[in-house]
Amino acid sequence: MDPNNEVERNRLFKAMDYSYKQLSPFRSLVSGLVQEYAGSSYGKGLTRPKFETLMNLMNQTVDAYTMSLVANRPRCTVNTTKRNLWYFSQHYETALNNLIASIYLEETLQQSVLDAFFCIGIVKCHMADSVEVQVENDQWIDPGTPFASNIALDNWVHDMTATKYSKVQFAGDWYRIPFDELDSPIFDQAAIKNLDLKPTTKNQFGDQNERLDRIASGQETDRDELVPMIDMVDVWVPRDKMIYTFPINPQRPFADPQKAIAAFPPDDPHLGPYDLLTFNPVPENVLPSSPASHISGMARNINNIMRKQSRKSQGEKDIFFYTPAGKQDAERIQNASDQQRVQLEDPQQCGVMHIGGVSQTAQAYLHDMLAFYDRSAGNLSTMAGLGNQAPTLGQEQMIQGNVSKKEASMQYRIVSHTVRIVRRLGRMLWNDQNKTIPGQMTVPGLEHFPPLEANWEPGDREGDYEDYDLNIDIFSMPHQSPQQKFNTMLGLLQNVFLPAGEMLQSQGGNINFQKVAESAAKLLNAPELTEWIEFSGMPTPLPGEGDDDGGGSDEFGKLAASTTRNYVRESVSSGGSPQNQATMRQQAWLGMSGGE
């Protein structure tokens, strides 16, 4: 496609206008779901909304999934099949991990997961502004830095006639930039001069042409902006393997298309600059269904019941009544103090009437709906750590293992999404001849020596980019508490290293229990542990060590072999599962209803 050919350019913008209108129902859906997630009081101050969200289940679900799937920064690994490139692969890995840390990629991924929970997560890999560097005595340039940005569905358009993203004819996003950034060399200055571009406004002015003219001339800005701005759209055309940049009018973004002011290939010509994250794909469609749309109906129903029950509870009252014959008895009761004895003529002439109160059957139904929601969300109470705590680590792992089966599909998609993004960033870093990243690395086998300098500097390249394989450590992203980390390390020590003590010692290995104690004190937040156990630095012989009969014990093998262990299995009640507890509460409420 020739972006400067009027016929071809009009055809592209007409197709984008059609697809953007087709995306309207999805934008509306996301807007409604986000409002439910934010809660009824968001942006309302102390004003009580008409439909109050008493239990924000959507927010709780999103927090649980985010912590479970992408709570931490991804850790990249770089491998190579060529032995002579192994050291540089570790150098490249260090630079890429430092880049991931510097651009806070974990925050971008968390936002992508949040967007995918409502509909679709879109991440754009591009070169962002960075600190200027001096290339000559009097010349400074902005070399840029590889970056990953989130794209909102409101600012996104793709070919809606495609049955999957790999078959789209175009995809793009629009954004606002300061007008003076058009002086950058990445834009065609001749095209900008010929188009006579002016700043644009987000607002609809109607007949206020005078103010519109002042904004267009740069004399005035929108009220929420400091400098004059202009709207641009980047369009990725896979057939051309090119990205085209066009100036647009935000009020009518796809009308009156102007010539492109930039055209450049993406760093990865096959993947393009965008990557999509979806959790519930729909056959023959690019846009997916979403977890939020599946459970939002139950969340609204639960809050409807809770609001109804709340209104009933507020209307609950006890009314004291009496007959004309019991007037004097009623006055005695009214004037009596606590535990005072009162003489009544006829107690039958007075009484208390209970009015209002929560419905027992509605309360039982509410418990049932909460259990359904928990199950539909994937055992949310366990994921969020709100369920019963099992008495042993093994039982906790069994419960968490069952939850992980639900998370496995989502985790696989997130890891694949992250790998694709990191590979784009890795290629951009490889192709960037100006980027400098300070770093250090430790070579295996030399852990006791100071780390080696591993700065990533212009010209640091060995081999070709295709010689290296970039991957993500899948276990680096989900949330893991210090307690879980220590339990994992302790289990490895007990189940692997201690039973293999003789083999470990024969290979020159030794378990440093001082480091074990230090790690336990750090991870368990118990610094007192280092005071309980002291290490003098001089090894003390174990009982029987050095006996002539060879029957002595050593640190690993014979002492452990002569130890007797008795395992007692004991059943301990943990109060029942959340589902069982909900069922018992439901039955109790139904019992109180008296056949209501």
Side-chain angles (χ1 to χ4, degrees), residues 253-508:
F254 303 114
D256 304 324
Q258 303 185 65
K259 292 183 179 180
I261 61 173
F264 51 91
D267 286 271
D268 193 321
H270 302 289
L271 294 178
Y274 305 106
D275 201 85
L276 311 185
L277 174 63
T278 63
F279 287 142
N280 301 119
V282 176
E284 302 300 314
N285 285 274
V286 175
L287 287 181
S289 179
S290 67
S293 64
H294 297 160
I295 59 178
S296 61
M298 282 188 288
R300 286 193 296 269
N301 189 32
I302 289 171
N303 275 282
N304 287 337
I305 299 171
M306 293 187 70
R307 283 193 293 267
K308 183 177 181 179
Q309 293 288 74
S310 177
R311 290 193 301 269
K312 287 189 173 184
S313 67
Q314 293 172 13
E316 183 178 10
K317 60 181 68 175
D318 292 329
I319 300 177
F320 181 74
F321 65 88
Y322 59 91
T323 65
K327 182 178 180 180
Q328 293 183 351
D329 289 345
E331 291 177 352
R332 296 190 187 99
I333 294 175
Q334 183 179 8
N335 296 327
S337 60
D338 185 32
Q339 296 186 357
Q340 180 180 344
R341 297 181 180 181
V342 179
Q343 180 179 356
L344 302 179
E345 298 293 339
D346 185 1
Q348 299 297 326
Q349 301 300 320
C350 302
V352 178
M353 181 180 296
H354 183 82
I355 297 177
V358 298
S359 168
Q360 286 81 8
T361 53
Q363 194 69 15
Y365 176 64
L366 175 62
H367 285 295
D368 209 15
M369 287 300 300
L370 287 170
F372 281 142
Y373 183 92
D374 185 271
R375 184 171 182 177
S376 299
N379 201 354
L380 181 63
S381 57
T382 301
M383 290 177 56
L386 303 176
N388 282 0
Q389 300 298 312
T392 67
L393 174 63
Q395 292 175 358
E396 286 282 1
Q397 292 174 339
M398 289 174 61
I399 294 173
Q400 191 61 39
N402 291 328
V403 175
S404 297
K405 295 177 183 178
K406 172 68 177 179
E407 299 172 8
S409 176
M410 301 176 72
Q411 193 173 60
Y412 172 80
R413 291 180 176 277
I414 291 173
V415 171
S416 299
H417 176 61
T418 306
V419 167
R420 293 191 299 267
I421 292 173
V422 170
R423 285 178 178 171
R424 287 181 175 91
L425 294 175
R427 185 180 287 273
M428 294 168 68
L429 180 62
W430 184 273
N431 295 333
D432 187 357
Q433 296 297 326
N434 298 308
K435 184 68 176 175
T436 299
I437 302 178
Q440 295 180 331
M441 60 178 290
T442 300
V443 179
L446 301 178
E447 291 85 355
H448 298 293
F449 293 89
L452 301 178
E453 184 179 281
N455 298 334
W456 181 266
E457 299 176 349
D460 280 350
R461 307 292 185 277
E462 289 186 16
D464 299 322
Y465 176 79
E466 287 71 18
D467 295 331
Y468 302 92
D469 183 28
L470 280 63
N471 284 298
I472 295 296
D473 180 1
I474 187 174
F475 300 106
S476 65
M477 299 171 67
H479 170 71
Q480 191 178 26
S481 68
Q483 175 78 45
Q484 292 172 323
K485 292 180 181 179
F486 179 73
N487 288 336
T488 301
M489 296 164 58
L490 188 61
L492 188 66
L493 183 66
Q494 292 176 337
N495 300 324
V496 177
F497 294 112
L498 285 178
E502 289 184 346
M503 183 180 299
L504 182 66
Q505 194 175 35
S506 67
Q507 297 179 8

Side-chain angles (χ1 to χ4, degrees), residues 58 75 90 164 180 193 232 242 286 306 308 317 341 390 397 419 439 457 500 507 561 565-566 589:
M58 296 280 283
R75 185 168 59 246
Q90 305 308 298
K164 56 183 179 179
D180 57 12
K193 183 177 180 180
M232 316 287 286
M242 293 289 288
V286 175
M306 293 187 70
K308 183 177 181 179
K317 60 181 68 175
R341 297 181 180 181
Q397 292 174 339
V419 167
E457 299 176 349
Q507 297 179 8
R565 297 180 176 88
N566 295 323
W589 279 105

Side-chain angles (χ1 to χ4, degrees), residues 4 182 184-195 260-263:
N4 295 322
L182 291 180
S184 171
I186 65 174
F187 297 116
D188 186 344
Q189 297 301 314
I192 292 175
K193 183 177 180 180
N194 291 334
L195 291 174
I261 61 173

Side-chain angles (χ1 to χ4, degrees), residues 54-66:
L54 299 177
M55 179 180 291
N56 198 330
L57 295 171
M58 296 280 283
N59 191 293
Q60 182 179 343
T61 305
V62 170
D63 288 345
Y65 272 99
T66 302

Side-chain angles (χ1 to χ4, degrees), residues 143-174:
T145 185
F147 202 79
S149 300
N150 298 103
I151 305 298
L153 190 59
D154 288 342
N155 299 330
W156 168 259
V157 63
H158 71 268
D159 179 12
M160 286 293 286
T161 65
T163 57
K164 56 183 179 179
Y165 182 68
S166 60
K167 294 184 177 181
V168 297
Q169 301 176 75
F170 60 85
D173 73 291
W174 72 69

Side-chain angles (χ1 to χ4, degrees), residues 39-49 52:
S40 57
S41 298
Y42 180 76
K44 303 290 179 62
L46 296 177
T47 304
R48 186 171 182 177
E52 188 175 11

